[in-house]
Amino acid sequence: MSMGPLPAASPSLARLVQELHKLPGIGPKSAQRLAYHLIRLPEDEALALADAITSVKRNVIFCQDCQNLTDISPCSICQEPRRNQGQICVVEDPLDVMALERTHCYDGLYHVLHGVISPLNGVTAHDLKLGDLFKRLEAGSVEELVIATNPTLEGEATSMYIRRHLEGRDIRITHLARGLPVGGSLEYSDDQTLRRAFQGRQEL
Amino acid sequence: MACISRLSLTNFRSFEDLELELPSGVVVFFGANAQGKTTLLEGVYLLAIARSFRAENEREVVRFESAAESGQALAGGEVLRKDGERVTVHVGYQAPSHGPGPSNNGDEGKRGSTRPSPVRKEIRVNRVRTSAAGLVGAVNAVLFTAEDIQLVFGPPAGRRRYLNILLSQSDPAYLRALQRYSRVLQQRNRLLRMLRDGRADPDEMSFWNDELVREGAWITWRRHETIGELGKLCEEHHHSLSGMAEEVLVQYLPRVPPGENLAATERSFRESLVSAEGRERATHTTAVGPHRDDLGLRIDRVDMRAYASRGQARTLALALRLAEAAYLESRRGEGPIVLLDDVLSEMDLTRRRRVLEQASRFQQTLITTTDMDDPHSFFGSAAHFFRVDSGRVTPLSNEAATPATTALTNPVRD
C-alpha cells in the first residue's frame, strides 16, 4: 500500500492541477505545467480565461432546430433566410459543421447528432439528437437528407438507423461519397478505400 | 520466395539497438536461454502478422528503461521479394508517456482505473503509414514453437487463431473482415446486455445483425473453402513425418453450417441467428458465428483433441505447421520465411531431419537452439551461424563453426 498524498503546500494549487488533469489529453505532468503557467500569468489574463469558461457554460445552448452549439436559438445558420430550407445535412458533432462551412459548397441546413450509436460506449439512438431530427422532418418541407457521419462502423450504424427509420417516407436520402483523398495517389491508398472509390466511380 | 535481409530492433525487449544483416538460406541463432534468441524471431514474426506472438499485452515488448526518452519500441526490416523488389516494413510501439493515451475521449476510465493504457501501434510499409491489413501479406512467415502441441490439446481458440493467421496471410481482405467482425461482435454483445437492462430499443439490433451475418458468413465461407486443401497438405506431411499411412482428417467444425455458396451461407447464418434468439436472451452474448468455430483433428477416426498421445500430438502439430507453409506457398506463389523457435530438441532424429529438410526448401529459415550440434551436423557449412549472448548477436564464420577445424563439439565455447 502506498501512502496517501502528502499535504499540499497550497491546497488551491493542488485543486487547479486536479481539475486540469480531468481534461482529455492532459496527464498529471501537463496539468502541473499548465497550473504553474497560469500562476505566472498577469491576473487579468488568467481571469479572462476563467471568465471565458464561465461565459461558455452560462451562454452556450443547443439550437432549438439544428442542435448545434450557439449563443442564440435558433442559431445564425438556421435563421439565415438565403439558406436552402429543403436540405438538411446530418453530422456527428459541431466541429463537422465548421468543417463543412469552410468548404462554402453547401448552403442547406444542418442537424448535429452529438455522437454516434455505439453500445460499447453506452450510446444508443436515444442518447443522440435523433428524435429532434425526425420531428423536423415531420414538418414536410425537407426534400433531401444528406447523411455525413464518419465512414466508421459506428457512423454506418447511425446512418443505417436513420435510413431504416425513414423507410417509405418521401425524402431523398444521400450520403457523402467514399473514396480517394484529393491530392492522394492510387499507389498509396489502402485496398478498401480504393475498392470503395472504384465502386463509386462517376461518368466523366 | 521472400527473405528478410535486414532486421533492426530498437528498445525491443532485451535489445536496445540492434542492426542485423541476414543472409538467405538457413540461419541458426544459438546461445544459452534468456539471451534474446526468441526475441529475434518475435521481431520477424511481428513484421509478418503485425502482432507479437508471445506478448499477452503488447506493452511487454517495449524496453521501458531505455525507451523512456524516445518513448517507442520499434521493429523494422527489409524484405527481399521473389521479383527482386525490396520492401521495408516497420512496426512501432508508442508507450503512453504519462496519464491516459491519446485515444482517451473524455474523462472515462481516467479516474480510478488502474489498467495500464494500451500502447499505440504504428505500422509502416515502405515508410507509408498503414493498417495491420496493409502490412500483413507484405512478408509471410510461419512460426513453429514448442507450444504448438496446444494446437491439438488446447482450447478451440488456439485452432481458430491458427486458421486466422493462415487466412490473413494469404488474403488481407480476410484480416479486414475479421477485424470488422470482432468489432461488430463486441458492439452486439454490449447491445444485448443493454436490451436486457431496458437501456436500448430492439430496433437498434438490425444493423448489427446485418453486419454480423455479412462478415460472419464471409469468414465462415472462406474457412470452409480453405480446409479441404489444407487438410490434404496436412495429411501428406503427416505421412512423411510418421512414416505410416494413417488416415489424417482435418475437419472444419463451423458453428454456422456453410451453404453451397456465399449467398446460401448468409441465409444459413441468418437462420441460425434467428433460432439462437432465445439463448441470446438468456446469456446476453452472441451465440452463433465463426467466433465459436473449431477444427476437428482425427487420425484413423480417433479424436486427437481428446485422445492423442504427446508424441502423436507433436507430430500432428508439426504437420499442421508444414501444411501452413505449403498452403501459403501455393496461394502466394512465394514461400514464407520459416521460423523454428527451439523446436528441434523436442523431436526424435527422424522428425528432426524431416523438418530440417522441409524447412531448407524455403528461401530463408531462421532457427533458434541452445544446442547447435543438430543443425550443424545436418547443414554443416551450408548454414549461417549467429551467437546470441545477452542481447548481442555476432556472426560466426563457417570455418570456426566447422568441427573439422576445431576439436570442440560446441565451437562457441572457447
Side-chain angles (χ1 to χ4, degrees):
Chain A
M1 295 297 286
S2 66
M3 288 190 297
L6 294 171
S10 159
S12 47
L13 175 58
R15 200 181 123 217
L16 178 59
V17 171
Q18 200 187 345
E19 291 302 319
L20 289 168
H21 179 32
K22 287 182 191 168
L23 298 173
I26 305 290
K29 289 254 172 66
S30 302
Q32 279 173 18
R33 270 196 294 274
L34 282 172
Y36 283 106
H37 173 76
L38 289 171
I39 288 172
R40 281 195 295 266
L41 281 183
E43 188 169 340
D44 54 334
E45 274 185 49
L47 290 181
L49 174 65
D51 183 56
I53 295 173
T54 315
S55 138
V56 113
K57 287 314 284 180
R58 294 223 174 104
N59 299 330
V60 172
I61 49 172
F62 293 119
C63 168
Q64 64 189 66
D65 293 331
C66 72
Q67 307 299 325
N68 199 359
L69 299 175
T70 174
D71 284 358
I72 43 160
S73 179
C75 71
S76 55
I77 294 178
C78 290
Q79 278 188 22
E80 171 59 56
R82 278 170 304 181
R83 284 198 164 248
N84 181 350
Q85 308 288 311
Q87 270 185 323
I88 292 183
C89 177
V90 181
V91 296
E92 292 181 14
D93 63 51
L95 291 174
D96 298 333
V97 174
M98 286 161 69
L100 284 164
E101 280 299 283
R102 275 200 305 271
T103 67
H104 299 290
C105 73
Y106 175 69
D107 72 345
L109 303 175
Y110 290 95
H111 193 88
V112 184
L113 296 175
H114 293 280
V116 273
I117 292 176
S118 175
L120 276 176
N121 298 325
V123 181
T124 71
H126 289 285
D127 300 310
L128 305 178
K129 304 283 186 187
L130 280 167
D132 308 277
L133 172 66
F134 298 143
K135 235 177 278 160
R136 280 177 88 183
L137 299 177
E138 297 281 301
S141 57
V142 176
E143 290 145 20
E144 181 182 356
L145 198 64
V146 185
I147 301 183
T149 53
N150 289 319
T152 58
L153 187 61
E154 292 73 20
E156 284 174 42
T158 311
S159 155
M160 202 51 69
Y161 182 88
I162 295 171
R163 216 197 67 193
R164 280 227 170 81
H165 196 91
L166 297 175
E167 229 153 55
R169 296 274 295 275
D170 187 23
I171 295 175
R172 182 176 175 222
I173 304 177
T174 57
H175 74 68
L176 298 189
R178 277 102 171 87
L180 297 170
V182 175
S185 92
L186 287 195
E187 190 190 345
Y188 291 133
S189 308
D190 68 282
D191 306 351
Q192 205 180 15
T193 304
L194 210 48
R195 200 174 301 128
R196 291 271 199 118
F198 203 87
Q199 284 162 354
R201 67 190 184 279
Q202 290 169 349
E203 296 290 341
L204 271 180
Chain B
M1 303 233 242
C3 90
I4 179 157
S5 54
R6 194 171 45 77
L7 175 70
S8 60
L9 297 175
T10 311
N11 300 327
F12 194 91
R13 290 200 194 263
S14 51
F15 293 100
E16 195 177 329
D17 189 14
L18 174 84
E19 278 286 339
L20 191 59
E21 300 284 332
L22 288 170
S24 60
V26 177
V27 179
V28 181
F29 298 109
F30 65 92
N33 285 319
Q35 303 299 311
K37 298 189 301 294
T38 298
T39 303
L40 295 171
L41 300 201
E42 182 183 23
V44 174
Y45 201 49
L46 172 69
L47 296 175
I49 68 165
R51 276 196 67 86
S52 159
F53 75 85
R54 58 173 179 166
E56 197 67 40
N57 177 337
E58 291 197 284
R59 231 178 122 75
E60 283 172 27
V61 307
V62 185
R63 188 179 194 267
F64 278 103
E65 50 284 27
S66 58
E69 269 166 44
S70 65
Q72 78 163 357
L74 191 69
E78 185 180 77
V79 180
L80 194 57
R81 286 228 277 243
K82 184 174 63 172
D83 48 16
E85 196 191 345
R86 280 173 195 276
V87 181
T88 64
V89 281
H90 286 98
V91 177
Y93 292 98
Q94 194 71 43
S97 46
H98 17 247
S103 63
N104 186 311
N105 42 6
D107 56 1
E108 198 187 350
K110 197 164 191 177
R111 276 161 291 183
S113 161
T114 52
R115 213 175 48 171
S117 32
V119 286
R120 197 157 45 107
K121 202 165 9 179
E122 190 178 287
I123 298 171
R124 287 172 189 273
V125 174
N126 287 333
R127 306 227 158 76
V128 179
R129 229 183 133 159
T130 180
S131 61
L135 172 80
V136 173
V139 50
N140 285 333
V142 173
L143 172 74
F144 294 64
T145 75
E147 283 84 55
D148 281 349
I149 196 169
Q150 292 304 320
L151 278 177
V152 180
F153 286 136
R159 290 181 287 277
R160 285 195 295 269
R161 186 175 149 78
Y162 166 79
L163 267 186
N164 285 339
I165 291 177
L166 174 102
L167 277 157
S168 298
Q169 289 205 75
S170 65
D171 180 7
Y174 181 88
L175 178 57
R176 208 168 273 124
L178 198 65
Q179 287 172 332
R180 192 169 162 100
Y181 179 81
S182 87
R183 180 86 181 160
V184 169
L185 195 64
Q186 287 178 357
Q187 291 281 17
R188 190 174 183 277
N189 285 343
R190 182 62 68 88
L191 185 56
L192 282 167
R193 289 206 292 282
M194 290 174 86
L195 286 171
R196 171 196 63 190
D197 303 339
R199 287 171 55 220
D201 262 350
D203 61 349
E204 281 190 40
M205 197 46 116
S206 63
F207 172 81
W208 304 108
N209 283 350
D210 290 352
E211 291 297 308
L212 191 81
V213 168
R214 191 173 58 202
E215 305 296 341
W218 194 78
I219 291 167
T220 302
W221 179 250
R222 293 288 286 122
R223 288 179 178 177
H224 169 71
E225 277 186 323
T226 304
I227 219 78
E229 188 182 339
L230 186 68
K232 242 179 282 153
L233 291 167
C234 182
E235 189 172 49
E236 281 167 29
H237 283 290
H238 193 269
H239 286 173
S240 76
L241 284 171
S242 72
M244 290 187 285
E246 294 157 307
E247 183 203 23
V248 179
L249 193 62
V250 181
Q251 254 177 318
Y252 181 34
L253 305 176
R255 187 60 191 76
V256 170
E260 59 192 18
N261 54 33
L262 180 59
T265 308
E266 282 189 11
R267 281 195 297 278
S268 159
F269 203 116
R270 201 167 282 281
E271 282 160 22
S272 302
L273 198 58
V274 170
S275 62
E277 252 173 44
R279 247 175 311 147
E280 290 194 335
R281 257 198 299 275
T283 60
H284 319 293
T285 51
T286 301
V288 298
H291 62 292
R292 306 289 288 270
D293 286 354
D294 197 359
L295 276 184
L297 301 168
R298 288 175 186 273
I299 292 181
D300 288 341
R301 307 241 173 105
V302 179
D303 187 348
M304 289 293 114
R305 294 173 299 171
Y307 300 111
S309 69
R310 285 193 78 79
Q312 276 179 315
R314 203 166 281 149
T315 306
L316 185 54
L318 268 178
L320 282 167
R321 288 296 180 208
L322 290 170
E324 180 181 357
Y327 182 86
L328 284 175
E329 187 177 19
S330 81
R331 276 301 132 128
R332 306 293 308 231
E334 187 168 42
I337 297 170
V338 175
L339 309 171
L340 302 178
D341 186 27
D342 200 18
V343 286
L344 299 174
S345 58
E346 301 252 323
M347 295 176 212
D348 63 31
L349 206 64
T350 334
R351 284 172 179 71
R352 202 179 297 161
R353 299 214 147 255
R354 185 68 196 143
V355 167
L356 289 176
E357 208 175 279
Q358 283 294 318
S360 53
R361 284 199 317 110
F362 294 97
Q363 173 97 2
Q364 193 177 42
T365 303
L366 309 181
I367 300 173
T368 68
T369 180
T370 46
D371 169 15
M372 81 163 222
D373 286 355
D374 287 307
H376 195 268
S377 64
F378 185 84
F379 295 111
S381 56
H384 306 270
F385 293 87
F386 287 85
R387 176 184 189 164
V388 184
D389 189 3
S390 15
R392 273 176 306 133
V393 184
T394 36
L396 214 67
S397 68
N398 278 326
E399 297 76 53
T402 309
T405 60
T406 155
L408 299 167
T409 46
N410 187 345
V412 294
R413 282 187 217 118
D414 42 24

